[in-house]
Amino acid sequence: MKKRKLKIFVLAMALCISGALSGCAVRTAAAQEPDRTSADISGSAAEAVESDEVILAEEQARAEEIRRAEIAEQYSVYEPYGMTYDEEKDRFFYQGQMVRCFKDQVSAEHTNAFFFDEGTVDVEPVRDTKGALIGLEQSSDADFRARTEKQAEIEAEFDAAGIAGESGSFELGDPDWRDDSLDAYTAFGVSYDKASENWIYDGRVIHILYDADHNTYCNNGVNNGIDLKVIRDKNGNVERLVEAEAQELEQYVK
C-alpha cells in the first residue's frame, strides 16, 4: 500500500510540473500571438487540464493493476492449500468464504498479513518443525471473536484520535500486532504491557529510551513516564539502564 501511494504521489507531482509547463506554453503562445482571444487561451488551458486528468486516471489504474498482480504472485504459495486471491474483487477466499484475517511469519524479515473487516473467516498457516509451510486451517470461533474485539478497540482508538481507518488496509489490519521495539532490553527490566500497549520499566511507562547508535524510542502519549539511557560496556554489550532527565534525552528524538 505504501509503495502504491508513493507511486501515485510521484506521478501527481510529475503531472503538476507538466501542468505548470503547459501553462507557461500557453502564456508564451499568447505573447507571440497577441490577436488570440482569451476564450482561445482558456480553452487550451482547459484541454491541458483535462488531458492531465485522463493521464492521471490511466496511471492510477495501471498502478492498481500492478499492485494486484504483485499480491497475486506473493500469495500464490497458499493456493495449493485452499486460499486464493481474487484480483477483480481484491479479496482472499478460503473454502468459498472471504478471509478476514491472515498472518504468516514467512521469515524474520518478512510477514504476509492482511485484514479485511468484511471477511467471514480467519485463516492461519500450518508449518512443520523446520518452518516449511504444510497447510492452512480456519481459526477457532474463540480466536475469531477475540480478533473481532481487538479490531473494535483499534477502530475506537482511530475514531478518538480523529483518524479515518481504511477498510481492508494491509498496513493497519493485523489485530495481533504488538510493539517489539524494546524487546532487546527485556533482560534488563523492560517489559511490554499488552493491555495498555505500553513499555514498562520499574512499574512506570517508558517515555524515552535512548541507546546511542542503536535505538531511540519515544512514546509521546505518556505523561510522567520514565526516561532511560542505555549504558554499554567497552565491547558494546548492554550493561544497565539508568534513569535520565527528559530534557537530556529530548534532543535525540526531535
Side-chain angles (χ1 to χ4, degrees):
M1 296 292 287
K2 289 182 180 178
K3 290 182 179 178
R4 177 190 172 208
K5 291 176 181 175
L6 180 58
K7 289 177 182 176
I8 293 174
F9 175 75
V10 172
L11 171 63
M13 289 297 291
L15 290 177
C16 285
I17 295 172
S18 173
L21 292 178
S22 296
C24 290
V26 169
R27 287 192 293 274
T28 301
Q32 293 174 347
E33 302 177 42
D35 58 338
R36 289 184 66 191
T37 66
S38 59
D40 292 333
I41 296 173
S42 298
S44 298
E47 290 174 1
V49 171
E50 290 177 1
S51 177
D52 285 349
E53 290 177 347
V54 170
I55 293 173
L56 178 58
E58 291 176 348
E59 290 292 343
Q60 288 178 335
R62 178 56 180 161
E64 177 65 13
E65 182 181 339
I66 292 173
R67 182 188 72 84
R68 298 191 184 199
E70 290 175 347
I71 291 174
E73 181 178 358
Q74 178 181 343
Y75 285 82
S76 62
V77 64
Y78 305 108
E79 290 182 2
Y81 305 106
M83 188 173 78
T84 59
Y85 174 65
D86 187 319
E87 288 191 49
E88 182 178 350
K89 296 180 179 178
D90 192 24
R91 293 294 183 268
F92 293 83
F93 292 85
Y94 179 72
Q95 296 181 351
Q97 299 185 74
M98 184 183 294
V99 181
R100 183 184 68 164
C101 179
F102 178 79
K103 180 179 179 181
D104 183 16
Q105 189 72 46
V106 180
S107 67
E109 299 79 22
H110 179 66
T111 301
N112 286 336
F114 58 82
F115 188 96
F116 294 104
D117 54 11
E118 69 268 39
T120 57
V121 295
D122 292 347
V123 176
E124 301 173 8
V126 179
R127 293 183 174 272
D128 63 20
T129 55
K130 296 182 179 180
L133 181 68
I134 58 174
L136 299 175
E137 63 182 14
Q138 183 175 332
S139 299
S140 67
D141 291 342
D143 286 344
F144 186 92
R145 287 193 298 271
R147 292 192 184 100
T148 299
E149 294 173 359
K150 182 60 178 177
Q151 185 66 12
E153 292 176 6
I154 292 173
E155 291 176 355
E157 290 175 4
F158 285 162
D159 291 340
I163 301 172
E166 181 180 351
S167 177
S169 169
F170 280 73
E171 298 168 307
L172 304 177
D174 181 9
D176 294 327
W177 176 90
R178 85 162 182 84
D179 182 6
D180 61 358
S181 54
L182 299 184
D183 279 352
Y185 309 100
T186 55
F188 300 90
V190 173
S191 62
Y192 184 72
D193 181 63
K194 191 170 183 180
S196 65
E197 297 183 344
N198 287 314
W199 284 100
I200 309 295
Y201 181 82
D202 196 23
R204 298 167 62 189
V205 177
I206 297 175
H207 172 222
I208 297 175
L209 183 145
Y210 176 66
D211 186 1
D213 300 323
H214 291 84
N215 193 3
T216 301
Y217 168 88
C218 179
N219 183 350
N220 286 320
V222 173
N223 292 320
N224 301 318
I226 189 170
D227 299 282
L228 300 169
K229 183 163 58 175
V230 179
I231 306 299
R232 291 178 176 265
D233 61 25
K234 62 181 181 181
N235 296 317
N237 299 313
V238 176
E239 194 172 78
R240 66 186 186 279
L241 307 182
V242 297
E243 186 171 357
E245 294 294 329
Q247 294 85 344
E248 177 188 353
L249 303 183
E250 284 174 351
Q251 60 180 312
Y252 302 112
V253 297
K254 293 181 179 179

